[in-house]
Amino acid sequence: MAFSAGIINIVGLIGFGRETVSHLTGNTSLLAEEIAKGSVSGALHYLVVILSFFVGAVVSGMIIRDSELLLGRRYSVVLVLIATLLVSAVPLLNAQAQAGMYAAAAACGLQNAMVTTYSGATIRTAHLTGMFTDLGIFIGHHLRGLPVDVRRICISLTVITGFLCGGIAGTLLYSAVQNGAMYVPAGISLAAAAAYWWIRVRAPKSGA
């Protein structure tokens, strides 16, 4: 999922005029700038990007209904929705319609909310600030001789590496197929949905 988010984010940075859709800190700052400048259209644009991500997270919460990762929850439904939004974003982006950005932002919100918590560790696959913060805390603890949760270090490093590799792949894909690069994370989401559905069918009594 972090790899997919890396692709989506880099396509945004390259294709949307250096705008990001996978995390909201920068967009909130840009919203503040547009408000301060009195630009109604600019402020409205960034507000809709933020709301699109937020609505995606809300929909994910409604479908999954829990933050704990457990077999039996409807992750496949969310994954299919993510793929649908990403596929629909491509023709919109090709037509230079801002709705393509909003669809991609909603997909990121869905994904980020879906994998927020895993085995007690907070995970953000659509942005890395939390992962780098956790990693820094763990290294600080280690330097002080305090016990360190190796599993959480591995999770942080995996997410960071996945996002970075996704960004590299997304850059190469965009140079070859432009906005069609979005089809790759869409395909990954569909493959994950199919894999999860198969696992759930094979273990129907697992989970909630």
Side-chain angles (χ1 to χ4, degrees), residues 86-113:
L86 293 175
V87 169
S88 66
V90 175
L92 292 169
L93 293 172
N94 288 338
Q96 298 185 331
Q98 290 182 335
M101 290 184 62
Y102 307 149
C108 288
L110 278 161
Q111 175 185 303
N112 207 47

Side-chain angles (χ1 to χ4, degrees), residues 11 16 83-97 99-101 103-104 174 177-186:
V11 171
F16 305 164
T84 301
L85 285 166
L86 293 175
V87 169
S88 66
V90 175
L92 292 169
L93 293 172
N94 288 338
Q96 298 185 331
M101 290 184 62
Y174 190 86
V177 295
Q178 284 73 53
N179 294 316
M182 288 290 196
Y183 290 133
V184 173

Side-chain angles (χ1 to χ4, degrees), residues 119-121 138 141 146-155:
S119 297
F138 300 146
H141 286 177
L146 299 173
V148 174
D149 189 338
V150 176
R151 179 184 61 84
R152 293 188 66 180
I153 291 177
C154 291
I155 290 173

Side-chain angles (χ1 to χ4, degrees), residues 134-206:
D134 287 348
L135 192 59
I137 291 171
F138 300 146
I139 291 174
H141 286 177
H142 177 71
L143 292 175
R144 287 294 304 273
L146 299 173
V148 174
D149 189 338
V150 176
R151 179 184 61 84
R152 293 188 66 180
I153 291 177
C154 291
I155 290 173
S156 296
L157 288 173
T158 299
V159 172
I160 291 168
T161 302
F163 194 94
L164 175 63
C165 291
I168 294 170
T171 301
L172 298 173
L173 285 167
Y174 190 86
S175 66
V177 295
Q178 284 73 53
N179 294 316
M182 288 290 196
Y183 290 133
V184 173
I188 292 172
S189 292
L190 285 177
Y196 175 73
W197 176 82
W198 176 250
I199 291 171
R200 188 175 179 183
V201 167
R202 297 281 291 179
K205 295 181 180 181
S206 297

